[in-house]
Amino acid sequence: YPDAKVAVEMCQGFPLCGWLPASDVFPVRVRAPEFDETFLRSMARSFTARSIAATVSSGDSELDTKLWQATLEEVEEGFLTGPWDASHLCRESVVSPRFGLQQKNKLRPIDNFSSSHVNSAAGVQERFMVDTVDEICAMVKTWMQESGPGLKLVGKTYDMRKAYRQLAVRKSHLDFAWISVWDPVLGRPALFKMETLPFGATASVSAFLRVSQAIKILGITCGNLVWSSFYDDFVCVCREGTEEQTDRLGRLGFKSLGWALSLGDDKDKPFANKFQALGVEFDLSNVGEGFFSVGNTLARRDELSEKIANILEANELEPAVAESLRSRLLFAEGQLYGRFAKLALQRIGAVGLQSRPVRPIGTELKQALQWIKGRILTAAPRRIDAGGRRTYYMFLDGACTDEQEKIWTGTSVGGVLADSDGNILFYFGHVVSKELVATWGPPEKTQHIFEAEVLPYALALTVWGDIIKDCCIFAFIDNEAAKASWITGTASSDAAQKILHQGTRPEADLNVWPFFSRVPTHSNMGDDPSRGRFEMLEMLGARRTEITDSHVSRLIADVDLSRA
């Protein structure tokens, strides 16, 4: 294993600053420290004074008390020592302020090692990666494909208890491990010294992910466990009937390596065909029939719904709240089928870029919040099939031809549909009326090539839906910007954004899986029909699909999310 040295480093304790050790497991990506350890020590008194001065009451006495109690509990468990006063600091001690982050049913203490500049003195050499929901899905799907019908799988999540606190700080860096916490009893800051890795330090993420990756590999190679790791959550899957042996082996592995697991009923649940991880529910009930599903947990749906309801009731949205909400909604949206939430997310995210709260929220923003709330609560989860799907190929093109050309003139679109055997099945070509094109932008804009390149895929879904339903689609486009817009689901052009939204709706209804790729113009079969050249396609046996301006109008219509 390339990072075997991580075991030795665990014994020594991990550094908090300087160049953090490389694992040789993760991809290389260098981010140099802003300054070195020597400078950090020389500025220690100044940085510490600022941190202590910044340690004040949150203004919420209940929150202050919870944070104080959580800190004292860590002292009892040996993670911290204190409380101390400033006389216990040495000349090179750096103090970081602690604050509390209220989560669902608990308060999480956060140690702000950025404000104390300890994080600025840490340099990383790699891009740290974790196994996400997609890796878990791939793990299950691969097992299904290797085993065939009749397979029964169950799974569970092992959660480490206070994972960062189970790793020590290097002795020479304990000077940088001081924190300042508001004491609600005495009404002043109190100092504590950390013995273990803080939640809020760049170095903690680096160290723990290396250890987490090593534990995962040990489980796979030494225990034949089928599992993944996302920070301190290990998702394990096994055949139904082997869960007792698998669970015994998994627990033995953690215990042998000295790791404590969360043992509460809310965390330590038995193997089951429905289990939760990362706020996501995996339903393996239908694995034997060739599919399983992934969706948001009821708790996550209720939490997001309540948050949106509170915003609507207050009729106000602050930038910081909008940014956080968009991030959480984006993750939740990723567990649902379809890609047509981009417009709503874009409207919510736009508030996060503003400098002041939006009060009152406008009609468009209100519609976006109501729409996304309904989607999160009611939309179907993702369904992952083990079997193959039929595949079709689309070649798509848009054109804006000057009148002097002796071919079609104006703004036109073309598309070709082929099957996986190379048979050319259908094509369309259409010149959009000047009156309709004029509605795509301001009067002074005369060239609409971008919108013309975005439009054909949406048209293809509209007119060929009966053929491509439940299939995989390779969509070839010779315009890089249009390809990127279909991949991301967003565009700067209002007209193009409407097309994207109206196009991704039938994409979800038809249950198609699209893949967008760039094709050179001279290899794009959609180029001919977009310019009125149909002879070659007719010779190849393709049949023409009629497109009218009414098809285009429906895709360019104003989006009312209240009815979307």
Side-chain angles (χ1 to χ4, degrees):
Y1 182 66
D3 195 21
K5 58 186 178 295
V6 73
V8 176
E9 292 175 28
M10 284 180 65
C11 297
Q12 298 171 342
F14 289 99
L16 291 178
C17 59
W19 279 106
L20 304 179
S23 68
D24 300 319
V25 173
F26 299 107
V28 174
R29 186 175 69 182
V30 177
R31 191 185 72 209
E34 295 179 24
F35 45 77
D36 60 20
E37 181 180 329
T38 303
F39 181 80
L40 181 63
R41 291 184 182 276
S42 69
M43 295 295 293
R45 286 192 172 184
S46 175
F47 293 161
T48 290
R50 294 178 189 174
S51 293
I52 295 176
T55 306
V56 296
S57 169
S58 67
D60 184 334
S61 59
E62 183 180 356
L63 187 66
D64 291 342
T65 301
K66 284 183 179 179
L67 180 62
W68 181 249
Q69 291 174 344
T71 303
L72 294 181
E73 288 172 6
E74 291 190 3
V75 173
E76 291 179 11
E77 295 191 71
F79 302 143
L80 307 176
T81 60
W84 309 105
D85 56 39
S87 64
H88 285 79
L89 298 175
C90 72
R91 185 183 185 88
E92 296 180 344
S93 297
V94 178
V95 176
S96 302
R98 167 173 281 198
F99 64 92
L101 180 64
Q102 185 64 53
Q103 298 177 324
K104 291 185 290 185
N105 54 358
K106 69 176 182 179
L107 181 131
R108 181 185 291 275
I110 306 294
D111 304 308
N112 194 344
F113 275 62
S114 293
S115 69
S116 63
H117 300 286
V118 174
N119 284 346
S120 299
V124 296
Q125 307 178 59
E126 297 174 318
R127 178 166 62 92
F128 298 104
M129 303 173 69
V130 295
D131 294 337
T132 62
V133 173
D134 286 343
E135 277 77 20
I136 299 170
C137 291
M139 186 170 74
V140 175
K141 181 175 178 177
T142 301
W143 198 334
M144 292 167 63
Q145 291 174 328
E146 292 291 330
S147 299
L151 175 69
K152 294 184 178 180
L153 296 177
V154 290
K156 71 160 290 168
T157 300
Y158 294 99
D159 177 78
M160 289 183 178
R161 181 178 179 274
K162 296 185 177 180
Y164 283 14
R165 300 293 190 258
Q166 299 191 52
L167 292 173
V169 175
R170 182 174 295 179
K171 187 175 181 180
S172 61
H173 282 190
L174 287 174
D175 285 338
F176 308 135
W178 287 87
I179 60 170
S180 177
V181 186
W182 181 254
D183 181 346
V185 178
L186 299 179
R188 66 187 186 193
L191 304 179
F192 295 84
K193 191 173 187 179
M194 308 197 76
E195 304 288 340
T196 56
L197 291 181
F199 194 91
T202 299
S204 300
V205 179
S206 165
F208 185 78
L209 288 184
R210 289 176 60 203
V211 173
S212 177
Q213 184 76 0
I215 292 173
K216 182 185 77 171
I217 298 301
L218 281 170
I220 293 171
T221 57
C222 299
N224 286 333
L225 294 174
V226 179
W227 67 352
S228 69
S229 63
F230 181 88
Y231 290 95
D232 58 339
D233 285 337
F234 290 76
V235 176
C236 186
V237 179
C238 68
R239 286 183 182 271
E240 188 176 281
T242 67
E243 52 266 43
E244 183 178 345
Q245 298 94 321
T246 304
D247 186 50
R248 187 182 301 134
L249 180 59
R251 293 180 189 278
L252 177 63
F254 285 112
K255 185 176 180 180
S256 300
L257 295 171
W259 290 92
L261 296 174
S262 298
L263 299 179
D265 292 341
D266 60 329
K267 294 281 189 179
D268 189 18
K269 296 183 178 181
F271 276 91
N273 52 28
K274 290 184 180 180
F275 64 95
Q276 298 177 359
L278 321 180
V280 175
E281 182 173 85
F282 297 84
D283 186 351
L284 309 185
S285 306
N286 299 295
V287 161
E289 286 74 52
F291 71 92
F292 65 99
S293 62
V294 181
N296 294 297
T297 61
L298 178 60
R300 170 157 286 172
R301 283 179 283 161
D302 288 346
E303 176 198 354
L304 291 172
S305 176
E306 182 181 0
K307 195 171 189 68
I308 294 173
N310 291 338
I311 293 170
L312 291 169
E313 183 179 355
N315 202 22
E316 177 183 358
L317 182 56
E318 297 181 2
V321 174
E323 186 176 357
S324 172
L325 179 62
R326 181 189 175 278
S327 177
R328 295 181 64 78
L329 288 172
L330 193 60
F331 183 85
E333 170 64 22
Q335 316 318 319
L336 305 174
Y337 194 78
R339 307 188 304 131
F340 60 113
K342 293 287 187 178
L343 183 58
L345 290 170
Q346 190 178 50
R347 290 178 180 176
I348 296 169
V351 179
L353 301 176
Q354 299 186 22
S355 58
R356 62 185 64 184
V358 173
R359 185 191 310 114
I361 59 177
T363 302
E364 285 193 348
L365 180 55
K366 183 178 181 180
Q367 288 177 355
L369 289 165
Q370 291 172 331
W371 185 87
I372 198 73
K373 177 186 175 184
R375 175 162 168 78
I376 294 297
L377 285 174
T378 62
R382 282 192 294 162
R383 169 173 159 157
I384 291 90
D385 295 285
R389 289 185 169 201
R390 287 179 299 148
T391 300
Y392 286 93
Y393 299 86
M394 291 180 182
F395 295 85
L396 309 163
D397 190 47
C400 291
T401 310
D402 294 333
E403 293 188 4
Q404 60 265 29
E405 299 284 344
K406 294 183 179 180
I407 49 178
W408 282 15
T409 60
T411 301
S412 55
V413 292
V416 174
L417 181 68
D419 64 19
S420 56
D421 295 323
N423 299 308
I424 312 301
L425 305 177
F426 296 95
Y427 73 90
F428 64 76
H430 176 68
V431 178
V432 185
S433 68
K434 291 181 179 179
E435 293 76 18
L436 183 54
V437 172
T439 66
W440 294 4
E444 63 271 14
K445 184 177 180 180
T446 58
Q447 186 70 275
H448 295 276
I449 185 61
F450 174 62
E451 291 81 1
E453 294 278 14
V454 170
L455 181 58
Y457 176 66
L459 285 171
L461 292 174
T462 301
V463 298
W464 294 330
D466 291 344
I467 302 169
I468 61 176
K469 182 176 174 58
D470 299 323
C471 296
C472 295
I473 300 295
F474 278 88
F476 294 97
I477 303 172
D478 62 12
N479 182 282
E480 192 66 33
K483 183 198 78 171
S485 291
W486 276 114
I487 292 173
T488 61
T490 59
S492 56
S493 161
D494 288 342
Q497 185 63 60
K498 293 174 186 176
I499 298 170
L500 292 168
H501 181 77
Q502 302 286 14
T504 48
R505 291 182 64 193
E507 188 182 77
D509 294 339
L510 294 169
N511 190 31
V512 298
W513 294 357
F515 182 89
F516 300 93
S517 183
R518 178 83 158 82
V519 62
T521 298
H522 61 266
S523 300
N524 187 0
M525 285 192 290
D527 187 64
D528 273 2
S530 74
R531 300 175 185 276
R533 299 190 291 256
F534 309 137
E535 295 81 7
M536 180 61 71
L537 292 169
E538 295 283 353
M539 288 175 57
L540 293 172
R543 288 182 290 170
R544 184 175 181 180
T545 300
E546 291 295 332
I547 297 289
T548 66
D549 273 1
S550 62
H551 288 110
V552 179
S553 297
R554 287 193 290 269
L555 294 173
I556 210 74
D558 289 333
V559 178
D560 182 358
L561 284 177
S562 65
R563 296 181 298 174

